[in-house]
Amino acid sequence: MITEQNTAKNRPFSKEYENKIFTGQEYLNSLDDGREIWFNGERITNIAEHKAFRNSARSIARFYDAMHDERYQDDLLLVDKNGIVTHKFFAPSYTPRELDEARKAIEVSQRINYGWMGRTPEYKAAFMAHLQDNAGFYQKEFQQNAINWYKKTAEKCLFLNHVLVDPPVDRSKDRVNVKNVFVSVDKEDDKGIYVSGAKMVATGSVLTHGTFVGLTGNITSMMEKDRDEDMAVIFFADMNTPGLKMICRPSYEHDANSAYDAPLSSRYDENDSVIIMDHAFIPWENVLVYRDIDRCKQFYKESGFFNRYNLQAAVRLAIKLEFCIGLFSEGTKASGTAQFRGVQAGTGELIGIKNTLWSLTTSMVNDVVSCGTGVVPNAEVAAALRLYMSNCWDRVREIFESVLGGAPVYTISSNKDLLNVELRPYIEQYYVGTGLEATDRIKLFKLIWDSMYSEFAGRHSLYERNYSGSQDLQRLDLLRQAMASKSLDKCTAMVQKCMDDYDINGWTNTWLT
């Protein structure tokens, strides 16, 4: 049992320690480092000013500026055991109370963008925070790498993405037979390793400082010794690594007509990329695991990442749900249906989903286990929360679609219709809402459209269902955990105890005979 009697090694934020975390402008400047990004057939330069990425970059910059704003610093920051000022989720937690404070810091950070950006900097901090305290998990020659990466990430609150999944091709084959596509080591020398291959899907990677290249449990379960060692690697790559290329999907921000027409997709589009490494050089100081299949298989269980990222994800989704509850409530008011019994039931169900998420995060910060010298949420609770999160968003969309009906499509083609003097009087007469002028009703429902029905919304739905692994894997992980912890045995033992009360001749227990 982990209690508050554990000696906490973090200290409250104090201005006596230098705050070296990026400011928003420093973050934007840091993206101009020569990285290779491809979009619409062109290699992109000056990312922070490009039409496809400008607004999303500035949305991330607000995360950094908040850590220099005195109104938020006590909630967001601490001083770690190295004397580094950092975000509370970028440092390990040593007690349930500290983990709860980290949860609060995630909440403050996520409210900046209303929960609509899933891979903000604190997401990958779920892994980075325990690199120093859990360095003993890694091969001896790479343990100092883990410590160094923790320190430099904590000091600046570096924004990292990760790529764990192989491209969707020939997955029925042994990975060694798809080495021409999947990431594999080409060679090594005294300076580092050279790797080639592709990984998917690097969410928000064009806006990050580096990528963590790893493997999912699904992949490692199929790896074999004396066959797959060239592919048993875990490492970091700076985004400007020579030979590392990012090929972007279409940009919703780029294609947005206006802020009025696309208020979310025009600023919160986390562009997903395929990362291709073409004989990319990875220095030894960026390597955590090399040609070690056993450690690759144990990574998810031992690194603390699985336990912690589900906490960040749940807080983010709960805030996103709060936003959507507000949208739903305003949408039904505008349609004049807010007092209908069935509509109110829909609002209540959305509130119930949101409250369930918050309650599960409370369980996560109190039901903890050790990770290195720190604590992380219990993996069984994290796995249960993961399953709930990946399925609840479909229900949220279903409620919107069922209750609001055709109201979201009762709209205009773009803000330019409102600027047309011939058309404007008709819009003002016929597009009004209950208690709303036409411009305000249209503005509200365009926001609803962008959150639930647009291409941006479709990508969000795909993300919520799949970012945490396949549906089968989520359920199988829960089963394996129950078998390992013997909780499944308790269930079957209870059934056996019940059946022991009787046989073909009647009751065998004493209290019914």
Side-chain angles (χ1 to χ4, degrees), residues 2 6-10 81 92-95 98 129-136 302 369-376:
I2 309 295
N6 292 47
T7 302
K9 300 176 184 178
N10 297 320
K81 67 179 184 181
S93 298
Y94 297 101
T95 67
E98 285 191 349
H130 279 269
L131 272 176
Q132 179 176 11
D133 278 25
N134 198 34
E302 300 295 336
V369 296
S370 297
C371 180
T373 60
V375 299
V376 296

Side-chain angles (χ1 to χ4, degrees), residues 154-410:
E155 183 175 79
K156 292 291 187 181
C157 285
L158 291 180
F159 187 8
L160 299 179
N161 72 82
H162 73 204
V163 282
L164 308 177
V165 181
D166 293 330
V169 58
D170 288 336
R171 288 183 175 174
S172 62
K173 295 182 178 180
D174 294 332
R175 295 184 77 243
V176 71
N177 294 323
V178 201
K179 288 179 69 173
N180 63 318
V181 177
F182 298 166
V183 171
S184 180
V185 176
D186 298 326
K187 67 174 185 177
E188 65 174 86
D189 60 25
D190 59 345
K191 295 181 179 179
I193 61 176
Y194 297 79
V195 297
S196 294
K199 281 283 191 179
M200 64 172 288
V201 173
T203 300
S205 59
V206 299
L207 303 177
T208 62
H209 299 112
T211 185
F212 171 79
V213 182
L215 302 157
T216 66
N218 257 358
I219 292 171
T220 59
S221 67
M222 297 182 288
M223 295 175 70
E224 295 182 8
K225 289 185 178 181
D226 301 321
R227 187 190 72 182
D228 295 319
E229 276 74 10
D230 285 347
M231 310 176 92
V233 288
I234 297 175
F235 58 89
F236 296 101
D238 297 320
M239 298 320 296
N240 62 353
T241 295
L244 189 152
K245 309 170 190 296
M246 288 167 276
I247 302 177
C248 301
R249 63 155 168 78
S251 168
Y252 312 132
E253 178 179 331
H254 179 275
D255 296 339
N257 288 336
S258 69
Y260 184 85
D261 293 301
L264 299 179
S265 52
S266 61
R267 54 178 160 165
Y268 298 140
D269 182 18
E270 301 172 279
N271 198 293
D272 307 287
S273 303
V274 172
I275 285 186
I276 295 174
M277 285 168 272
D278 181 15
H279 207 56
F281 171 67
I282 309 299
W284 285 119
E285 54 265 30
N286 287 359
V287 177
L288 291 179
V289 176
Y290 184 61
R291 298 178 62 83
D292 189 328
I293 289 175
D294 285 340
R295 276 190 172 81
C296 286
K297 288 178 179 288
Q298 296 165 10
F299 172 79
Y300 247 59
K301 178 182 177 183
E302 300 295 336
S303 68
F305 173 56
F306 176 84
N307 313 60
R308 281 170 49 95
Y309 88 75
N310 283 293
L311 176 61
Q312 187 274 349
V315 173
R316 188 266 311 163
L317 183 55
I319 291 167
K320 182 179 175 182
L321 272 166
E322 289 181 9
F323 183 88
C324 291
I325 290 166
L327 271 185
F328 185 80
S329 178
E330 292 301 306
T332 58
K333 289 177 185 176
S335 296
T337 61
Q339 299 306 312
F340 292 2
R341 180 181 176 87
V343 171
Q344 291 181 336
T347 307
E349 185 174 350
L350 291 173
I351 292 169
I353 295 171
K354 180 262 296 182
N355 289 349
T356 300
L357 285 172
W358 278 122
S359 298
L360 285 168
T361 67
T362 299
S363 176
M364 290 187 81
V365 300
N366 287 286
D367 185 357
V368 298
V369 296
S370 297
C371 180
T373 60
V375 299
V376 296
N378 183 315
E380 288 191 81
V381 180
L385 181 53
R386 174 177 67 158
L387 180 64
Y388 183 75
M389 288 190 293
S390 70
N391 288 276
C392 71
W393 190 250
D394 284 348
R395 180 56 184 157
V396 172
R397 295 186 79 194
E398 183 180 16
I399 292 170
F400 268 79
E401 292 169 2
S402 299
V403 173
L404 294 181
V409 296
Y410 190 70

